[in-house]
């Protein structure tokens, strides 16, 4: 049986990863797994700082990996709206697909800071529950850790540049 394709995303906070993940999941008839939705459901009102995010997201990862591998092994495509914004985050994704020899695609949404900040401001209005964490200050903190993917990492990468 053919395995499903794992699609995941890299891009700064506010680049449009969630919007693109919804679009791609519909186009590819894929199961969409959203880190934000899982965190809000399993750990409601627990994430106030970057440290909280790191802790709770880390707790989700082992089960998310098993679930994703199971879905892929059944031949169903999976779109993961989880960040692949650092080398170590991308290594986690690599472990998911490589351990079961599933195909993958990394979609890198390359947006300038100004666009990301504008989208974050818009999101604060549309989703008031995120106003405490979706700030310019948090963008600055998180962006310090951002590392764009490079060809030597070995991913099948599609780049979407500057609001394309």
């Amino acid at each position: 049986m053919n395995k499903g394709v794992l699609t995941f995303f890299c891009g700064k906070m506010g680049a449009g990863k969630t919007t693109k993940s919804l679009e791609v999941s519909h186009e590819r008839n894929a199961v969409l797994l959203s880190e934000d939705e899982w965190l809000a459901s399993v750990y409601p009102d627990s994430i106030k700082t970057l440290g909280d995010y790191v802790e709770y997201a880390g707790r989700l990862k082992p089960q998310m990996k098993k679930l994703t591998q199971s879905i892929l092994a059944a031949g169903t495509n999976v779109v993961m709206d989880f960040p692949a914004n650092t080398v170590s985050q991308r290594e986690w994704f690599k472990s998911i697909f490589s351990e079961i020899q599933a195909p993958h695609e990394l979609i890198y949404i390359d947006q300038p800071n100004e666009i990301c900040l504008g989208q974050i401001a818009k999101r604060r209005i549309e989703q008031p529950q995120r106003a405490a964490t979706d700030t310019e200050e948090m963008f600055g903190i998180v962006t310090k850790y951002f590392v764009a993917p490079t060809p030597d990492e070995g991913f099948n990468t599609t780049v979407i540049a500057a609001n394309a």
Side-chain angles (χ1 to χ4, degrees), residues 21 24 43 80:
S21 70
V24 171
Y43 306 110
M80 292 188 79

Side-chain angles (χ1 to χ4, degrees), residues 22-89:
L22 288 164
E23 179 184 308
V24 171
S25 68
H26 286 99
E27 288 172 358
R28 299 180 184 179
N29 194 31
V31 172
L32 173 61
L33 299 174
S34 164
E35 182 181 58
D36 288 345
E37 289 178 11
W38 277 87
L39 288 170
S41 177
V42 178
Y43 306 110
D45 303 316
S46 297
I47 299 175
K48 309 286 188 222
T49 67
L50 183 58
D52 293 340
Y53 164 75
V54 170
E55 177 183 345
Y56 291 110
R59 290 183 189 182
L60 278 184
K61 284 188 170 184
Q63 284 307 116
M64 286 293 104
K65 179 177 177 177
K66 288 179 192 175
L67 175 62
T68 303
Q69 287 177 327
S70 177
I71 296 167
L72 292 169
T76 301
N77 296 331
V78 176
V79 171
M80 292 188 79
D81 183 15
F82 282 61
N85 294 339
T86 66
V87 172
S88 64
Q89 287 173 332

